[in-house]
């Protein structure tokens, strides 16, 4: 975070999934250890389609980055809506935010 001059972060996470809650707990713990200023903590639910309320709140506080613990389906929508709203700060997420290997590279799918 120091390399990128990140001092203020917003946290955004799915509050109804054990995996995303665990990711949030870890991100919050690390942010605190790094003495980052957590400007807001925003929650959402699995399957939610509209994140404008959370993203508007985040954007208004002008964080240097967003730490987002989301599953793949929600993570993609969140990032698309954030960019559409003009929120251009880096988003940092865990492995659940990454598409499965088979959806990224069709050539690597098992044959048979």
């Amino acid at each position: 975070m120091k390399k990128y001059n990140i001092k203020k972060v917003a946290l955004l996470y799915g509050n109804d999934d054990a995996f995303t809650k665990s990711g949030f707990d870890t991100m919050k713990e690390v942010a605190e250890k790094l003495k980052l200023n957590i400007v807001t903590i925003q929650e959402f639910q699995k399957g939610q389609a509209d994140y404008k309320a959370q993203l508007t709140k985040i954007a208004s506080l002008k964080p240097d980055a967003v730490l987002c613990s989301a599953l793949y389906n929600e993570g993609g929508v969140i990032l698309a809506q954030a960019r559409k709203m003009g929120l251009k700060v880096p988003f940092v997420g865990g492995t659940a935010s990454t598409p499965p290997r088979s959806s990224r590279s069709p050539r690597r799918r098992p044959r048979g």
Side-chain angles (χ1 to χ4, degrees):
M1 296 290 191
K2 288 180 183 178
K3 179 180 178 179
Y4 298 101
N5 200 29
I6 293 173
K7 297 175 183 168
K8 297 188 316 183
V9 296
L11 294 172
L12 177 62
Y13 76 102
N15 65 1
D16 60 348
D17 179 83
F19 190 81
T20 57
K21 175 68 170 91
S22 174
F24 160 76
D25 292 339
T26 301
M27 289 177 177
K28 185 173 186 277
E29 180 182 328
V30 170
E32 290 169 346
K33 281 183 182 178
L34 293 173
K35 298 188 183 337
L36 298 174
N37 179 13
I38 299 172
V39 296
T40 188
I41 297 173
Q42 297 291 308
E43 302 174 350
F44 63 87
Q45 289 76 44
K46 195 182 323 178
Q48 186 171 324
D50 185 357
Y51 302 90
K52 290 181 188 124
Q54 293 93 337
L55 294 170
T56 298
K57 175 70 174 180
I58 290 169
S60 74
L61 297 169
K62 299 183 181 354
D64 300 319
V66 177
L67 307 182
C68 183
S69 183
L71 298 176
Y72 172 67
N73 290 335
E74 289 80 16
V77 175
I78 289 168
L79 190 55
Q81 287 181 9
R83 296 305 187 234
K84 188 174 183 179
M85 294 173 60
L87 186 57
K88 303 290 187 195
V89 298
F91 273 68
V92 179
T95 57
S97 299
T98 307
R101 176 165 233 137
S102 63
S103 71
R104 283 188 285 155
S105 179
R107 290 175 268 137
R108 294 187 185 198
R109 288 187 191 154
R111 295 182 187 194

